[in-house]
Amino acid sequence: MQSFRTELENPIVEKEIIELERKIREYQEGKIAEEKFRSLRLARGVYGQRQPGVQMVRIKLPFGKVTFKQLLRIADISDEYASSNLHLTTRQDIQIHYVSLAKTPELWTKLAQDDITLREACGNTVRNVTASPNAGIDPEEPFDVSPYAQALFSYFLRNPICQEMGRKFKVAFSSSERDTAFSYVHDLGFIPKVRTVAGIDERGFKVMLGGGLGAQPMIAHVVHDFLPEDQLIPYTESVIRVFDRYGERNNRNKARFKFLVQKIGLEEVLRLVDEEHTANKVKSFMVDRNAVPQPEPPEVSPVVAELPIDLFRYEVWEKTNVFPQKQEGFYAVYVKVPTGDLSTTKVRKLVEGVKGHIADEIRITQNQGLLFKFVRKQSLPHVFNILNSLGLAAPGFDSVADVTTCPGTDTCNLGISNSTEMARVLEQLIYEAYADLVYNRELKIKISGCMNSCGQHGLAHIGFHGSSLKAAGKVVPAAQVMMGGGTLGDGLGRVADRVIKVPSKRVTDVLRLILDDYASYAMEGELFHDYYDRQTKDYFYRLLKPLADLTTLTDDEFVDWGHEETFQTAIGVGECAGVVIDLVATLLFEAEEKLDWANESYRTGGYADAIYHAYSVFVSVAKALLLDKGVNSSSQHAILKDFDNHFVETGEFTVSGGFAEHVLQINKHEPSETFASYYLAAAIDFFETTKAKRKAKDMINV
């Protein structure tokens, strides 16, 4: 395996890539268990595909921001290591597919040259921090949230408190009360606010806590109407520390933060969050408001004045895909990217074509499109012509005709149905039969290949997720129809209802019936949410029930969209949770590694990090010993309590005041050098005592 260590400037990244290279070699030599290695690679953005022997690599782009140079670099990487395609995700990442595991360190090295990371794009970590794509140019925003999203991303990247949580943790920043980043379905969601105190404007955020999509979607709770800007990072740190300690570890279906809120109650969660404040690395964190400056606008005039190649199509496109920025004289151009997929050939032609006409900063949108910034009026025809030549000038961005979808069975282990082809079919239906709906941005259609909502079907007005039915002794590809979800604004939203399940090939009929019914029976000016509530879920169940009749199935309905063979459910093991094998020896080995990290942090003055690494040593060692007795605790907090019950109370370990109280001193003290020294010494003593006891036990057994 070739190494490119000398090409990197960041010693931390260099060390990580060397470590990944070493771990891959050890895994291939059989020295690291499959389950343990899965956790390691997921935290580095390397995700197993449906197809055996290849990987999906997820590239983490904070709030979807990417420059021309970075986009071209990713295209080059996809050509060299993947399938010459870039997939834009609903979390504003870029994914590439069919990558050889052995090539991932080399790939990461080349990405790092342009300040692009894979770190913590997957696994039990803080995932990509998302934000409204128009942040910084939104006429309705109180202020630009981009610097705050960047600060939160940077602060928690490689942060010890969020490297091995029970599940992933998602954060979003919306630019205004329109809540275009969907704050209400995130673990933490933020909406910018300004209040005036004694004649001085103060920045802050409305805070939503404990939301999430997935198979069991939940709407977040409003926990702060105004959190001062300097408390954004400390508050987030406290929340994550609580999730790490109290979150479920055994049942991955209950391991998201929303389930912790459900289990112990919002009031108790908020009490625990307050309790963690003392131990935070920082008590106040002022974000540099200029950390994410607006890019330079292009030159005053385009090189050559142009006319649109198709005037009628241009006029529709301009009305639906072009919007004025808050910066006078400039426009934002939204690009509708079908199913979020861009070939590398198109990427290069796109960048070359729009240079000099847009700013050197593109944002990936939550509905898998692109946003161009600082486009002058006279450049719009040229930009349209370039997009049109690449098949990217379809009107109706973020309208009924802009269907969001996950990759489904194309590459995902959990995919049940082909969501991408279904999206293409539904979009074609809109353009052909309901062309006026390209102007309707109040009604959204979203599709996921399974119930996990990567395509956001849970927050759609009309949503579908992959499923299956049985008929005539065979399996039929099916779609669960969802209705009534969506954004209400200012942190409020609705989760879609499950209405009925129908064969997948009938989704076009489903959509026709719903849209025709809405057009025929809605009151003048009545929005879809109001119409749905007035008619009720049962009304739509009865409307669609004939489409669920399996006695009328035709042969082609046993074949999924985009396929030729008869449908079969072939669901693999999902890796979103980064499952970790709980073997005693592995846990003790990890504890030794964490001790090294703790000592290194202490030597460099990172006392808060040293303390948290030492805390992780306590937890890992205690968990290993409990597993040796057949006790599998469901959370870190439970591990501490169970260790008291099974080891301290039995006299096997002597800990004054109890093990849990001893370890939980972590949130009773400031992260000072004095406490770090004491706490680290205690962790070392616990680890060495355990090693000695196990060695003595092994000698007796021999």
Side-chain angles (χ1 to χ4, degrees):
M1 188 182 304
Q2 190 174 0
S3 175
F4 291 82
R5 294 190 285 267
T6 58
E7 296 177 22
L8 292 173
E9 296 179 3
N10 187 331
I12 296 175
V13 176
E14 178 183 355
K15 182 177 179 181
E16 288 178 340
I17 293 172
I18 295 170
E19 182 70 5
L20 177 60
E21 190 175 18
R22 182 174 66 83
K23 295 289 188 181
I24 289 173
R25 185 169 59 252
E26 291 177 352
Y27 164 69
Q28 292 172 335
E29 292 171 354
K31 297 177 181 177
I32 300 179
E34 169 73 33
E35 292 84 353
K36 173 59 187 169
F37 182 72
R38 181 186 301 132
S39 174
L40 183 143
R41 63 172 166 77
L42 283 169
R44 287 146 183 85
V46 183
Y47 191 104
Q49 274 188 212
R50 188 182 193 89
Q51 296 79 8
V54 290
Q55 318 295 318
M56 176 270 281
V57 170
R58 182 176 294 149
I59 298 164
K60 197 172 186 180
L61 300 169
F63 49 95
K65 176 178 173 288
V66 62
T67 64
F68 294 154
K69 186 180 180 183
Q70 288 174 324
L71 193 58
L72 292 173
R73 168 71 71 175
I74 296 170
D76 289 344
I77 292 294
S78 185
D79 278 343
E80 186 174 358
Y81 299 98
S83 60
S84 296
N85 184 74
L86 309 188
H87 179 71
L88 314 179
T89 79
T90 55
R91 292 211 62 77
Q92 300 175 288
D93 296 307
I94 291 178
Q95 294 176 173
I96 58 176
H97 295 86
Y98 300 95
V99 178
S100 165
L101 176 63
K103 293 291 186 180
T104 53
E106 183 179 315
L107 176 157
W108 188 1
T109 301
K110 293 184 177 181
L111 286 173
Q113 293 169 15
D114 286 313
D115 197 26
I116 306 170
T117 189
L118 310 180
R119 179 77 196 211
E120 295 156 50
C122 308
N124 303 327
T125 59
V126 176
R127 295 292 184 84
N128 198 31
V129 177
T130 61
S132 297
N134 61 339
I137 62 173
D138 183 356
E140 299 181 12
E141 67 184 15
F143 55 86
D144 183 5
V145 299
S146 304
Y148 300 88
Q150 177 67 43
L152 194 143
F153 159 78
S154 299
Y155 187 86
F156 291 103
L157 189 70
R158 304 180 180 88
N159 194 312
I161 71 169
C162 52
Q163 296 305 297
E164 296 177 320
M165 297 183 291
R167 283 292 298 270
K168 55 196 171 186
F169 193 92
K170 296 182 177 180
V171 182
F173 288 82
S174 281
S175 62
S176 73
E177 291 184 1
R178 285 186 179 272
D179 201 6
T180 52
F182 315 125
S183 68
Y184 60 96
V185 287
H186 280 76
D187 297 293
L188 271 175
F190 300 101
I191 297 176
K193 300 288 181 180
V194 173
R195 68 181 181 187
T196 303
V197 179
I200 299 174
D201 286 345
E202 296 181 351
R203 290 184 178 186
F205 295 90
K206 185 174 186 176
V207 181
M208 277 60 65
L209 178 75
L213 286 173
Q216 299 180 62
M218 297 182 193
I219 299 297
H221 304 268
V222 177
V223 292
H224 284 283
D225 288 317
F226 188 91
L227 180 74
E229 63 175 317
D230 74 303
Q231 292 303 302
L232 170 72
I233 298 295
Y235 186 78
T236 303
E237 179 173 349
S238 293
V239 170
I240 291 174
R241 290 168 73 99
V242 168
F243 179 45
D244 192 38
R245 184 165 301 130
Y246 293 90
E248 172 67 34
R249 298 274 172 165
N250 291 339
N251 183 356
R252 64 190 292 266
N253 295 319
K254 294 289 184 181
R256 291 295 300 275
F257 186 72
K258 62 186 178 183
F259 293 114
L260 177 62
V261 177
Q262 183 184 62
K263 180 180 178 180
I264 66 177
L266 180 63
E267 185 177 345
E268 176 64 7
V269 167
L270 295 179
R271 186 192 70 79
L272 292 171
V273 170
D274 287 341
E275 191 175 71
E276 288 297 322
H277 186 73
T278 300
N280 280 350
K281 187 185 297 186
V282 293
K283 306 301 185 291
S284 173
F285 189 106
M286 283 304 298
V287 171
D288 179 1
R289 297 179 179 182
N290 300 311
V292 185
Q294 289 299 331
E296 289 294 322
E299 296 296 327
V300 174
S301 299
V303 177
V304 179
E306 287 185 47
L307 291 175
I309 195 167
D310 183 328
L311 185 58
F312 173 76
R313 186 177 173 85
Y314 171 78
E315 288 174 348
V316 177
W317 173 82
E318 187 178 13
K319 288 177 182 177
T320 61
N321 293 36
V322 179
F323 301 90
Q325 298 183 188
K326 72 177 184 181
Q327 292 86 0
E328 189 174 350
F330 292 103
Y331 293 84
V333 173
Y334 288 93
V335 182
K336 186 174 175 300
V337 179
T339 66
D341 289 306
L342 273 175
S343 71
T344 55
T345 299
K346 283 188 178 182
V347 168
R348 293 189 182 88
K349 290 180 178 178
L350 181 64
V351 171
E352 184 61 31
V354 298
K355 274 185 178 178
H357 294 268
I358 74 171
D360 185 8
E361 182 192 300
I362 296 172
R363 299 268 178 120
I364 298 166
T365 67
Q366 278 85 349
N367 62 341
Q368 303 169 291
L370 300 172
L371 169 65
F372 298 160
K373 302 167 69 172
F374 289 96
V375 184
R376 299 180 188 276
K377 184 76 171 178
Q378 58 266 43
S379 279
L380 289 173
H382 173 82
V383 172
F384 169 79
N385 289 341
I386 292 295
L387 293 173
N388 190 65
S389 70
L390 297 172
L392 298 172
F397 179 88
D398 203 30
S399 72
V400 183
D402 195 356
V403 178
T404 303
T405 178
C406 69
T409 52
D410 286 351
T411 56
C412 179
N413 269 324
L414 291 178
I416 298 173
S417 67
N418 189 333
S419 49
T420 53
E421 185 61 24
M422 187 188 296
R424 294 184 189 102
V425 170
L426 293 182
E427 285 189 355
Q428 184 178 0
L429 173 65
I430 299 296
Y431 284 123
E432 292 178 354
Y434 302 92
D436 286 347
L437 290 182
V438 298
Y439 299 104
N440 185 331
R441 303 182 77 236
E442 302 300 326
L443 199 163
K444 314 294 185 190
I445 302 172
K446 298 176 184 289
I447 304 172
S448 299
C450 72
M451 70 292 296
N452 283 319
S453 208
C454 294
Q456 304 173 337
H457 67 263
L459 53 81
H461 297 77
I462 304 171
F464 302 94
H465 78 68
S467 189
S468 62
L469 292 163
K470 288 188 177 180
K474 294 188 287 186
V475 181
V476 183
Q480 173 68 54
V481 181
M482 314 285 293
M483 293 184 67
T487 304
L488 301 178
D490 202 22
L492 302 177
R494 301 163 49 127
V495 168
D497 294 326
R498 297 176 183 272
V499 177
I500 197 168
K501 191 186 292 187
V502 302
S504 290
K505 287 292 180 69
R506 299 179 184 181
V507 293
T508 50
D509 297 322
V510 169
L511 190 57
R512 282 183 184 275
L513 277 173
I514 294 173
L515 294 179
D516 290 347
D517 195 84
Y518 181 41
S520 299
Y521 301 114
M523 291 186 242
E524 186 176 352
E526 187 174 31
L527 296 177
F528 189 84
H529 279 152
D530 298 325
Y531 177 66
Y532 176 78
D533 291 342
R534 179 167 62 82
Q535 296 287 46
T536 74
K537 171 184 171 180
D538 184 62
Y539 171 85
F540 287 100
Y541 172 79
R542 287 184 280 108
L543 177 70
L544 301 175
K545 188 175 180 182
L547 296 177
D549 182 3
L550 300 183
T551 64
T552 60
L553 283 168
T554 58
D555 289 344
D556 75 297
E557 290 182 294
F558 288 93
V559 180
D560 199 7
W561 290 110
H563 290 258
E564 297 180 358
E565 70 281 358
T566 301
F567 178 76
Q568 291 182 327
T569 51
I571 306 172
V573 177
E575 296 189 336
C576 291
V579 181
V580 178
I581 192 166
D582 289 332
L583 296 174
V584 175
T586 300
L587 284 166
L588 291 174
F589 175 73
E590 287 177 353
E592 193 164 18
E593 282 189 319
K594 289 167 186 175
L595 265 185
D596 290 339
W597 300 338
N599 283 315
E600 184 178 344
S601 296
Y602 183 83
R603 283 194 299 270
T604 57
Y607 302 124
D609 290 352
I611 292 166
Y612 212 88
H613 284 311
Y615 164 77
S616 298
V617 171
F618 281 120
V619 171
S620 291
V621 173
K623 185 174 185 177
L625 293 174
L626 285 164
L627 284 173
D628 215 17
K629 283 196 173 186
V631 181
N632 193 3
S633 308
S634 62
S635 69
Q636 289 183 347
H637 189 259
I639 288 170
L640 306 182
K641 296 292 186 182
D642 288 344
F643 193 85
D644 273 327
N645 294 335
H646 292 275
F647 286 93
V648 177
E649 291 180 10
T650 61
E652 289 185 57
F653 278 79
T654 302
V655 185
S656 178
F659 185 71
E661 184 176 332
H662 180 61
V663 175
L664 289 177
Q665 292 180 79
I666 186 174
N667 62 10
K668 305 296 189 297
H669 295 268
E670 298 281 343
S672 64
E673 180 181 2
T674 301
F675 180 66
S677 176
Y678 158 77
Y679 199 71
L680 178 55
I684 293 171
D685 181 65
F686 181 53
F687 177 75
E688 293 298 337
T689 299
T690 300
K691 276 180 61 178
K693 284 179 177 286
R694 286 185 62 79
K695 185 176 181 180
K697 180 181 176 182
D698 291 343
M699 289 179 67
I700 292 172
N701 289 337
V702 171

